[in-house]
Every structure is written in C-alpha cells, then in structure tokens.
Amino acid sequence: MKDIVLLGPPGSGKGTQADSLVQKFGLKKISTGDLIRDHIIRNTPLGLQVKKVVDAGSLVSDELIGALFEDALRNASNGYIADGFPRTLPQAMQLTTLIEKLSLPKPKVFFLDLDLSVLVKRILGRKSCPTCGRGYNTFFSPPRIEGKCDDDETVLVQRSDDNEEVIRTRYLVFKNEIEPILNYYGEELVAINASQDPKVIFDQISKELL
Ligand code: AMP
C-alpha cells in the first residue's frame, strides 16, 4: 500500500476521501487542519497563537505546520494519508526532506480539483457532531433529523471558519499557493474531478493504488 497525499481546495472532499481510505486500507489520516483545531479547542499555547490566523482563513506558518506534521508522521508506522498538507511549495519540499530522513517511499499524490461555486455550497452545508465527530452535509448527506446527529442526537455544529467570506479567502489562499505545488509533483500527480460522486472518486483513487 502506498502512502497518500491529498491536495485540493477546501471543500473538495479531501477529508471524506481520507476517512474512506482509512477504513479500507488502515492508513493513518494526518489532517493538519484537525491537528490545529484540536490545539485551538484545548487552548494550548499553540492553539492560542494560531486561532486568529485560522479564523481569518489564512495559513499557519510553514515551520509550525511542518513540526505538527512531522510529529504525526513519526507515529504513522502503517502508512499515512496527508489531508491538507502540503499547502505551500516550502511545505511540499519539507515533506520530501522528511520522507527521505525517515527512509519512507514517495507518496502517491492526488489533486481533487473543484470550482469555487461548487465548493462554497458544499462548505456552507458542512456540519459535524461534536460528540462523535460524524460529518454531515445539509445538501448532500443530511442527518435524519435536521441539525441533530443520527447516532447520538447531539446538536450539530459548524466550523467557525466555514462562513462565506472566510471560504472565499481560503480559496484565494489556495489558488495562490497551488500552482507551484502542482508543478513540483508534475507527472507524479493524479488529477481527479472532485465534483463527481464521492464513491466514484474513491474508486478512481483506489484503482491508482493497485
Ligand atoms: P483545513 O481543515 O485543512 O481546511 O484547515 C483549516 C485551517 O487550518 C486552514 O485554513 C489554515 O488556517 C490551517 N491549516 C491547515 N493545514 C495547513 C497547512 N498545511 N499550512 C498552513 N495552514 C494550515
């Protein structure tokens, strides 16, 4: 099984695909967004330092993110799926240096490509259960009872950076950074149309991993 890197704008389905890949292949998901949010929720010094940046839709520094990612990667002995890292060219280079340092093979890199109009709708519909972590989307995969988790009926919550203004900023940040990353991976990269059904995308990714 190959290690996997998922690139793509916010709302392109990286998290959903990563969760399915975890279930099927037993890899460890490393989501730098989840790691950062965990620090923010726990009010750690790092969380307090980055909260404003994350809420504004900007990027946390390459040094901080790189250190978080490295820690998580060192604990991923059965392979990993990187979700949300790398997001800048220096991060892509950090990843290459890191996998060489840890004597890991080159990962398989996927780019989930999606237009701004589709992703705004997707992200605005995104909700999750604060108790069990289950994710929903009011447009694509709504809960049985509006606003409540199917499993434990907890009231669903929205991420504080999932509002239209911040989504547009996050998309612009993504657009500014992605081109050099795509060039860096060049032919190695597999581009996927992320407006398709998540199951179709999952099949396309799985076939590439054979
Ligand atoms: P995500 O859940 O991947 O959309 O990430 C949420 C937020 O966490 C982003 O808008 C950034 O502020 C921060 N973040 C996550 N991953 C990175 C990264 N690789 N580099 C810089 N900032 C990041």
Side-chain angles (χ1 to χ4, degrees), residues 9-11 14 31-34 36-37 40 50-51 53-62 65-66 69 83-88 91 126 159 161-162 166 170 173:
K14 300 186 299 291
S31 158
T32 42
D34 285 351
I36 281 284
R37 276 185 291 282
I40 293 175
V50 300
K51 185 177 181 341
V53 174
V54 173
D55 280 347
S58 307
L59 292 182
V60 174
S61 76
D62 292 334
I65 283 288
F69 186 85
D83 163 9
F85 183 93
R87 251 181 166 97
T88 62
Q91 289 180 17
R126 199 153 73 171
R159 276 169 50 174
D161 57 348
D162 277 355
V166 177
R170 281 157 63 202
V173 169

mmCIF file of all heavy atoms in Angstrom, residues 9-11 14 31-34 36-37 40 50-51 53-62 65-66 69 83-88 91 126 159 161-162 166 170 173, ligand 1:
data_model
loop_
_atom_site.group_PDB
_atom_site.id
_atom_site.type_symbol
_atom_site.label_atom_id
_atom_site.label_comp_id
_atom_site.label_asym_id
_atom_site.label_seq_id
_atom_site.Cartn_x
_atom_site.Cartn_y
_atom_site.Cartn_z
ATOM 1 N N PRO A 9 -8.664 22.225 -3.030
ATOM 2 C CA PRO A 9 -9.180 23.372 -2.277
ATOM 3 C C PRO A 9 -10.029 22.919 -1.092
ATOM 4 O O PRO A 9 -10.450 21.754 -1.041
ATOM 5 C CB PRO A 9 -10.041 24.101 -3.316
ATOM 6 C CG PRO A 9 -10.392 23.066 -4.325
ATOM 7 C CD PRO A 9 -9.253 22.106 -4.363
ATOM 8 N N PRO A 10 -10.292 23.832 -0.158
ATOM 9 C CA PRO A 10 -11.197 23.484 0.944
ATOM 10 C C PRO A 10 -12.541 23.064 0.348
ATOM 11 O O PRO A 10 -13.003 23.676 -0.617
ATOM 12 C CB PRO A 10 -11.326 24.795 1.731
ATOM 13 C CG PRO A 10 -10.828 25.873 0.824
ATOM 14 C CD PRO A 10 -9.858 25.232 -0.111
ATOM 15 N N GLY A 11 -13.124 22.002 0.893
ATOM 16 C CA GLY A 11 -14.441 21.566 0.404
ATOM 17 C C GLY A 11 -14.371 20.637 -0.794
ATOM 18 O O GLY A 11 -15.395 20.245 -1.335
ATOM 19 N N LYS A 14 -11.393 16.181 0.483
ATOM 20 C CA LYS A 14 -10.175 15.501 0.941
ATOM 21 C C LYS A 14 -10.447 14.713 2.219
ATOM 22 O O LYS A 14 -10.039 13.568 2.351
ATOM 23 C CB LYS A 14 -9.040 16.509 1.216
ATOM 24 C CG LYS A 14 -8.626 17.327 0.009
ATOM 25 C CD LYS A 14 -7.412 18.199 0.303
ATOM 26 C CE LYS A 14 -7.604 19.222 1.394
ATOM 27 N NZ LYS A 14 -8.518 20.321 1.064
ATOM 28 N N SER A 31 -4.455 14.990 9.240
ATOM 29 C CA SER A 31 -5.086 16.227 8.774
ATOM 30 C C SER A 31 -4.510 17.369 9.589
ATOM 31 O O SER A 31 -4.750 17.470 10.801
ATOM 32 C CB SER A 31 -6.605 16.142 8.965
ATOM 33 O OG SER A 31 -7.156 17.446 9.013
ATOM 34 N N THR A 32 -3.745 18.229 8.935
ATOM 35 C CA THR A 32 -3.141 19.346 9.681
ATOM 36 C C THR A 32 -4.240 20.289 10.199
ATOM 37 O O THR A 32 -4.091 20.879 11.264
ATOM 38 C CB THR A 32 -2.115 20.103 8.806
ATOM 39 O OG1 THR A 32 -2.637 20.263 7.492
ATOM 40 C CG2 THR A 32 -0.811 19.365 8.748
ATOM 41 N N GLY A 33 -5.364 20.391 9.451
ATOM 42 C CA GLY A 33 -6.484 21.215 9.929
ATOM 43 C C GLY A 33 -7.045 20.649 11.235
ATOM 44 O O GLY A 33 -7.301 21.390 12.189
ATOM 45 N N ASP A 34 -7.229 19.319 11.297
ATOM 46 C CA ASP A 34 -7.736 18.684 12.530
ATOM 47 C C ASP A 34 -6.751 18.887 13.687
ATOM 48 O O ASP A 34 -7.157 19.160 14.828
ATOM 49 C CB ASP A 34 -7.940 17.172 12.326
ATOM 50 C CG ASP A 34 -9.180 16.856 11.492
ATOM 51 O OD1 ASP A 34 -9.971 17.782 11.216
ATOM 52 O OD2 ASP A 34 -9.334 15.681 11.107
ATOM 53 N N ILE A 36 -4.603 21.299 14.091
ATOM 54 C CA ILE A 36 -4.649 22.701 14.516
ATOM 55 C C ILE A 36 -5.922 22.972 15.328
ATOM 56 O O ILE A 36 -5.873 23.628 16.377
ATOM 57 C CB ILE A 36 -4.631 23.599 13.250
ATOM 58 C CG1 ILE A 36 -3.203 23.700 12.708
ATOM 59 C CG2 ILE A 36 -5.213 24.969 13.497
ATOM 60 C CD1 ILE A 36 -2.312 24.619 13.506
ATOM 61 N N ARG A 37 -7.061 22.457 14.829
ATOM 62 C CA ARG A 37 -8.333 22.693 15.558
ATOM 63 C C ARG A 37 -8.289 22.077 16.946
ATOM 64 O O ARG A 37 -8.814 22.636 17.901
ATOM 65 C CB ARG A 37 -9.532 22.139 14.765
ATOM 66 C CG ARG A 37 -10.049 23.115 13.710
ATOM 67 C CD ARG A 37 -11.305 22.595 13.040
ATOM 68 N NE ARG A 37 -11.046 21.453 12.199
ATOM 69 C CZ ARG A 37 -10.518 21.527 10.970
ATOM 70 N NH1 ARG A 37 -10.232 22.696 10.454
ATOM 71 N NH2 ARG A 37 -10.301 20.442 10.255
ATOM 72 N N ILE A 40 -6.595 24.433 19.134
ATOM 73 C CA ILE A 40 -7.428 25.611 19.414
ATOM 74 C C ILE A 40 -8.487 25.268 20.466
ATOM 75 O O ILE A 40 -8.686 26.022 21.425
ATOM 76 C CB ILE A 40 -8.081 26.129 18.112
ATOM 77 C CG1 ILE A 40 -6.988 26.684 17.182
ATOM 78 C CG2 ILE A 40 -9.128 27.194 18.407
ATOM 79 C CD1 ILE A 40 -7.473 27.112 15.807
ATOM 80 N N VAL A 50 -2.434 30.496 17.069
ATOM 81 C CA VAL A 50 -2.870 30.413 15.661
ATOM 82 C C VAL A 50 -4.354 30.690 15.447
ATOM 83 O O VAL A 50 -4.801 30.798 14.305
ATOM 84 C CB VAL A 50 -2.531 29.028 15.045
ATOM 85 C CG1 VAL A 50 -1.039 28.772 15.079
ATOM 86 C CG2 VAL A 50 -3.301 27.910 15.734
ATOM 87 N N LYS A 51 -5.136 30.808 16.522
ATOM 88 C CA LYS A 51 -6.599 30.906 16.377
ATOM 89 C C LYS A 51 -7.033 32.017 15.407
ATOM 90 O O LYS A 51 -7.846 31.799 14.512
ATOM 91 C CB LYS A 51 -7.253 31.113 17.752
ATOM 92 C CG LYS A 51 -8.766 31.100 17.661
ATOM 93 C CD LYS A 51 -9.416 31.219 19.003
ATOM 94 C CE LYS A 51 -10.925 31.186 18.978
ATOM 95 N NZ LYS A 51 -11.618 31.459 17.742
ATOM 96 N N VAL A 53 -5.408 33.479 13.015
ATOM 97 C CA VAL A 53 -4.986 33.184 11.636
ATOM 98 C C VAL A 53 -5.960 32.200 10.998
ATOM 99 O O VAL A 53 -6.427 32.390 9.866
ATOM 100 C CB VAL A 53 -3.556 32.574 11.648
ATOM 101 C CG1 VAL A 53 -3.132 32.129 10.271
ATOM 102 C CG2 VAL A 53 -2.573 33.567 12.210
ATOM 103 N N VAL A 54 -6.308 31.145 11.739
ATOM 104 C CA VAL A 54 -7.214 30.118 11.209
ATOM 105 C C VAL A 54 -8.607 30.711 10.992
ATOM 106 O O VAL A 54 -9.227 30.501 9.949
ATOM 107 C CB VAL A 54 -7.270 28.903 12.175
ATOM 108 C CG1 VAL A 54 -8.328 27.899 11.724
ATOM 109 C CG2 VAL A 54 -5.906 28.238 12.252
ATOM 110 N N ASP A 55 -9.098 31.480 11.953
ATOM 111 C CA ASP A 55 -10.441 32.076 11.824
ATOM 112 C C ASP A 55 -10.525 33.034 10.640
ATOM 113 O O ASP A 55 -11.589 33.228 10.064
ATOM 114 C CB ASP A 55 -10.850 32.801 13.112
ATOM 115 C CG ASP A 55 -11.348 31.816 14.153
ATOM 116 O OD1 ASP A 55 -11.602 30.649 13.783
ATOM 117 O OD2 ASP A 55 -11.491 32.204 15.330
ATOM 118 N N ALA A 56 -9.392 33.634 10.281
ATOM 119 C CA ALA A 56 -9.395 34.569 9.147
ATOM 120 C C ALA A 56 -9.231 33.837 7.817
ATOM 121 O O ALA A 56 -9.323 34.439 6.757
ATOM 122 C CB ALA A 56 -8.268 35.588 9.315
ATOM 123 N N GLY A 57 -8.952 32.536 7.867
ATOM 124 C CA GLY A 57 -8.787 31.762 6.628
ATOM 125 C C GLY A 57 -7.386 31.851 6.049
ATOM 126 O O GLY A 57 -7.157 31.440 4.916
ATOM 127 N N SER A 58 -6.436 32.375 6.831
ATOM 128 C CA SER A 58 -5.049 32.449 6.350
ATOM 129 C C SER A 58 -4.286 31.185 6.738
ATOM 130 O O SER A 58 -4.804 30.349 7.473
ATOM 131 C CB SER A 58 -4.343 33.661 6.953
ATOM 132 O OG SER A 58 -5.097 34.813 6.726
ATOM 133 N N LEU A 59 -3.036 31.124 6.282
ATOM 134 C CA LEU A 59 -2.243 29.930 6.561
ATOM 135 C C LEU A 59 -1.367 30.103 7.796
ATOM 136 O O LEU A 59 -0.787 31.175 8.015
ATOM 137 C CB LEU A 59 -1.346 29.592 5.367
ATOM 138 C CG LEU A 59 -2.044 29.121 4.098
ATOM 139 C CD1 LEU A 59 -1.012 28.779 3.033
ATOM 140 C CD2 LEU A 59 -2.947 27.929 4.362
ATOM 141 N N VAL A 60 -1.271 29.043 8.564
ATOM 142 C CA VAL A 60 -0.351 28.979 9.700
ATOM 143 C C VAL A 60 1.064 28.833 9.109
ATOM 144 O O VAL A 60 1.223 28.319 7.999
ATOM 145 C CB VAL A 60 -0.739 27.762 10.570
ATOM 146 C CG1 VAL A 60 0.251 27.533 11.683
ATOM 147 C CG2 VAL A 60 -2.158 27.932 11.111
ATOM 148 N N SER A 61 2.078 29.250 9.847
ATOM 149 C CA SER A 61 3.429 29.258 9.268
ATOM 150 C C SER A 61 3.907 27.843 8.913
ATOM 151 O O SER A 61 3.533 26.853 9.548
ATOM 152 C CB SER A 61 4.422 29.891 10.256
ATOM 153 O OG SER A 61 4.715 28.980 11.285
ATOM 154 N N ASP A 62 4.744 27.797 7.875
ATOM 155 C CA ASP A 62 5.282 26.507 7.419
ATOM 156 C C ASP A 62 6.022 25.787 8.558
ATOM 157 O O ASP A 62 5.961 24.561 8.666
ATOM 158 C CB ASP A 62 6.245 26.735 6.245
ATOM 159 C CG ASP A 62 5.519 27.229 5.001
ATOM 160 O OD1 ASP A 62 4.317 26.935 4.854
ATOM 161 O OD2 ASP A 62 6.164 27.896 4.178
ATOM 162 N N ILE A 65 3.391 24.244 11.102
ATOM 163 C CA ILE A 65 2.655 23.143 10.475
ATOM 164 C C ILE A 65 3.586 21.972 10.194
ATOM 165 O O ILE A 65 3.249 20.813 10.425
ATOM 166 C CB ILE A 65 1.992 23.637 9.156
ATOM 167 C CG1 ILE A 65 0.752 24.466 9.473
ATOM 168 C CG2 ILE A 65 1.638 22.492 8.240
ATOM 169 C CD1 ILE A 65 -0.436 23.683 9.984
ATOM 170 N N GLY A 66 4.802 22.301 9.724
ATOM 171 C CA GLY A 66 5.769 21.249 9.422
ATOM 172 C C GLY A 66 6.097 20.423 10.659
ATOM 173 O O GLY A 66 6.180 19.193 10.592
ATOM 174 N N PHE A 69 3.130 18.197 11.513
ATOM 175 C CA PHE A 69 3.032 17.082 10.566
ATOM 176 C C PHE A 69 4.114 16.039 10.857
ATOM 177 O O PHE A 69 3.840 14.842 10.875
ATOM 178 C CB PHE A 69 3.146 17.589 9.120
ATOM 179 C CG PHE A 69 2.899 16.507 8.120
ATOM 180 C CD1 PHE A 69 1.604 16.193 7.726
ATOM 181 C CD2 PHE A 69 3.953 15.766 7.593
ATOM 182 C CE1 PHE A 69 1.365 15.162 6.826
ATOM 183 C CE2 PHE A 69 3.717 14.737 6.695
ATOM 184 C CZ PHE A 69 2.421 14.452 6.307
ATOM 185 N N ASP A 83 -3.823 14.969 4.604
ATOM 186 C CA ASP A 83 -5.014 15.732 4.206
ATOM 187 C C ASP A 83 -4.777 17.197 4.606
ATOM 188 O O ASP A 83 -4.762 17.519 5.791
ATOM 189 C CB ASP A 83 -6.224 15.118 4.924
ATOM 190 C CG ASP A 83 -7.439 16.034 4.940
ATOM 191 O OD1 ASP A 83 -7.437 17.081 4.265
ATOM 192 O OD2 ASP A 83 -8.409 15.694 5.658
ATOM 193 N N GLY A 84 -4.549 18.056 3.618
ATOM 194 C CA GLY A 84 -4.327 19.479 3.935
ATOM 195 C C GLY A 84 -2.868 19.840 4.103
ATOM 196 O O GLY A 84 -2.548 20.959 4.499
ATOM 197 N N PHE A 85 -1.980 18.947 3.816
ATOM 198 C CA PHE A 85 -0.532 19.186 3.849
ATOM 199 C C PHE A 85 0.089 18.394 2.707
ATOM 200 O O PHE A 85 -0.235 17.223 2.568
ATOM 201 C CB PHE A 85 0.060 18.726 5.190
ATOM 202 C CG PHE A 85 1.540 19.003 5.325
ATOM 203 C CD1 PHE A 85 1.994 20.166 5.915
ATOM 204 C CD2 PHE A 85 2.470 18.071 4.864
ATOM 205 C CE1 PHE A 85 3.352 20.417 6.035
ATOM 206 C CE2 PHE A 85 3.832 18.323 4.981
ATOM 207 C CZ PHE A 85 4.264 19.494 5.575
ATOM 208 N N PRO A 86 0.902 18.970 1.858
ATOM 209 C CA PRO A 86 1.413 20.333 1.874
ATOM 210 C C PRO A 86 0.428 21.321 1.259
ATOM 211 O O PRO A 86 -0.379 20.978 0.422
ATOM 212 C CB PRO A 86 2.672 20.237 1.018
ATOM 213 C CG PRO A 86 2.370 19.142 0.033
ATOM 214 C CD PRO A 86 1.501 18.165 0.761
ATOM 215 N N ARG A 87 0.534 22.579 1.680
ATOM 216 C CA ARG A 87 -0.317 23.648 1.172
ATOM 217 C C ARG A 87 0.493 24.776 0.552
ATOM 218 O O ARG A 87 -0.073 25.717 0.033
ATOM 219 C CB ARG A 87 -1.119 24.222 2.330
ATOM 220 C CG ARG A 87 -2.616 23.876 2.303
ATOM 221 C CD ARG A 87 -3.188 24.547 3.503
ATOM 222 N NE ARG A 87 -4.580 24.666 3.580
ATOM 223 C CZ ARG A 87 -5.400 23.853 4.231
ATOM 224 N NH1 ARG A 87 -4.934 22.737 4.745
ATOM 225 N NH2 ARG A 87 -6.669 24.128 4.346
ATOM 226 N N THR A 88 1.800 24.693 0.684
ATOM 227 C CA THR A 88 2.697 25.681 0.050
ATOM 228 C C THR A 88 3.877 24.897 -0.536
ATOM 229 O O THR A 88 4.118 23.739 -0.143
ATOM 230 C CB THR A 88 3.267 26.677 1.093
ATOM 231 O OG1 THR A 88 4.058 25.934 2.042
ATOM 232 C CG2 THR A 88 2.178 27.433 1.828
ATOM 233 N N GLN A 91 6.280 23.693 2.032
ATOM 234 C CA GLN A 91 5.777 22.511 2.749
ATOM 235 C C GLN A 91 5.976 21.242 1.912
ATOM 236 O O GLN A 91 6.298 20.176 2.444
ATOM 237 C CB GLN A 91 4.301 22.676 3.092
ATOM 238 C CG GLN A 91 4.035 23.698 4.179
ATOM 239 C CD GLN A 91 2.563 23.835 4.504
ATOM 240 O OE1 GLN A 91 1.737 22.989 4.164
ATOM 241 N NE2 GLN A 91 2.211 24.917 5.175
ATOM 242 N N ARG A 126 -21.687 22.099 5.419
ATOM 243 C CA ARG A 126 -20.908 21.159 6.225
ATOM 244 C C ARG A 126 -21.214 21.318 7.713
ATOM 245 O O ARG A 126 -21.148 22.416 8.252
ATOM 246 C CB ARG A 126 -19.444 21.461 5.946
ATOM 247 C CG ARG A 126 -18.484 20.409 6.286
ATOM 248 C CD ARG A 126 -17.264 20.503 5.416
ATOM 249 N NE ARG A 126 -16.376 21.614 5.727
ATOM 250 C CZ ARG A 126 -15.174 21.768 5.185
ATOM 251 N NH1 ARG A 126 -14.726 20.893 4.307
ATOM 252 N NH2 ARG A 126 -14.421 22.790 5.492
ATOM 253 N N ARG A 159 -17.979 24.590 11.616
ATOM 254 C CA ARG A 159 -16.663 25.157 11.918
ATOM 255 C C ARG A 159 -16.725 26.673 11.851
ATOM 256 O O ARG A 159 -17.415 27.223 11.005
ATOM 257 C CB ARG A 159 -15.657 24.660 10.881
ATOM 258 C CG ARG A 159 -15.082 23.310 11.199
ATOM 259 C CD ARG A 159 -14.313 22.755 10.053
ATOM 260 N NE ARG A 159 -13.339 23.670 9.473
ATOM 261 C CZ ARG A 159 -12.479 23.318 8.521
ATOM 262 N NH1 ARG A 159 -12.476 22.091 8.053
ATOM 263 N NH2 ARG A 159 -11.630 24.188 8.048
ATOM 264 N N ASP A 161 -14.629 28.703 10.746
ATOM 265 C CA ASP A 161 -14.101 29.270 9.502
ATOM 266 C C ASP A 161 -14.914 28.834 8.280
ATOM 267 O O ASP A 161 -14.544 29.102 7.155
ATOM 268 C CB ASP A 161 -12.612 28.933 9.318
ATOM 269 C CG ASP A 161 -12.318 27.439 9.328
ATOM 270 O OD1 ASP A 161 -13.211 26.659 9.705
ATOM 271 O OD2 ASP A 161 -11.205 27.049 8.949
ATOM 272 N N ASP A 162 -16.058 28.169 8.507
ATOM 273 C CA ASP A 162 -16.934 27.778 7.399
ATOM 274 C C ASP A 162 -18.019 28.817 7.166
ATOM 275 O O ASP A 162 -19.224 28.528 7.239
ATOM 276 C CB ASP A 162 -17.579 26.408 7.676
ATOM 277 C CG ASP A 162 -16.659 25.258 7.289
ATOM 278 O OD1 ASP A 162 -15.577 25.526 6.724
ATOM 279 O OD2 ASP A 162 -17.025 24.102 7.542
ATOM 280 N N VAL A 166 -14.995 33.868 4.756
ATOM 281 C CA VAL A 166 -13.729 33.167 5.038
ATOM 282 C C VAL A 166 -13.468 32.083 3.984
ATOM 283 O O VAL A 166 -12.322 31.840 3.596
ATOM 284 C CB VAL A 166 -13.733 32.592 6.474
ATOM 285 C CG1 VAL A 166 -12.458 31.816 6.748
ATOM 286 C CG2 VAL A 166 -13.866 33.709 7.487
ATOM 287 N N ARG A 170 -10.132 31.567 1.937
ATOM 288 C CA ARG A 170 -9.385 30.302 1.939
ATOM 289 C C ARG A 170 -9.144 29.820 0.504
ATOM 290 O O ARG A 170 -8.094 29.271 0.188
ATOM 291 C CB ARG A 170 -10.124 29.250 2.758
ATOM 292 C CG ARG A 170 -9.905 29.435 4.257
ATOM 293 C CD ARG A 170 -10.998 28.826 5.096
ATOM 294 N NE ARG A 170 -11.109 27.398 4.976
ATOM 295 C CZ ARG A 170 -12.219 26.716 5.277
ATOM 296 N NH1 ARG A 170 -13.281 27.351 5.724
ATOM 297 N NH2 ARG A 170 -12.249 25.425 5.154
ATOM 298 N N VAL A 173 -6.377 31.928 -1.044
ATOM 299 C CA VAL A 173 -5.094 31.476 -0.484
ATOM 300 C C VAL A 173 -4.664 30.195 -1.207
ATOM 301 O O VAL A 173 -3.520 30.045 -1.656
ATOM 302 C CB VAL A 173 -5.226 31.216 1.036
ATOM 303 C CG1 VAL A 173 -4.008 30.498 1.582
ATOM 304 C CG2 VAL A 173 -5.448 32.529 1.787
HETATM 305 P P1 AMP B 1 -8.473 22.591 6.833
HETATM 306 O O1 AMP B 1 -9.258 21.843 7.865
HETATM 307 O O2 AMP B 1 -7.491 21.714 6.096
HETATM 308 O O3 AMP B 1 -9.358 23.369 5.898
HETATM 309 O O4 AMP B 1 -7.567 23.662 7.618
HETATM 310 C C1 AMP B 1 -8.157 24.657 8.421
HETATM 311 C C2 AMP B 1 -7.163 25.783 8.652
HETATM 312 O O5 AMP B 1 -6.003 25.288 9.353
HETATM 313 C C3 AMP B 1 -6.603 26.421 7.390
HETATM 314 O O6 AMP B 1 -7.468 27.422 6.844
HETATM 315 C C4 AMP B 1 -5.286 27.024 7.918
HETATM 316 O O7 AMP B 1 -5.515 28.192 8.683
HETATM 317 C C5 AMP B 1 -4.807 25.922 8.882
HETATM 318 N N1 AMP B 1 -4.001 24.900 8.164
HETATM 319 C C6 AMP B 1 -4.306 23.600 7.984
HETATM 320 N N2 AMP B 1 -3.357 22.973 7.284
HETATM 321 C C7 AMP B 1 -2.418 23.913 6.994
HETATM 322 C C8 AMP B 1 -1.194 23.888 6.275
HETATM 323 N N3 AMP B 1 -0.737 22.765 5.701
HETATM 324 N N4 AMP B 1 -0.481 25.039 6.206
HETATM 325 C C9 AMP B 1 -0.907 26.184 6.787
HETATM 326 N N5 AMP B 1 -2.064 26.294 7.462
HETATM 327 C C10 AMP B 1 -2.827 25.152 7.578
#
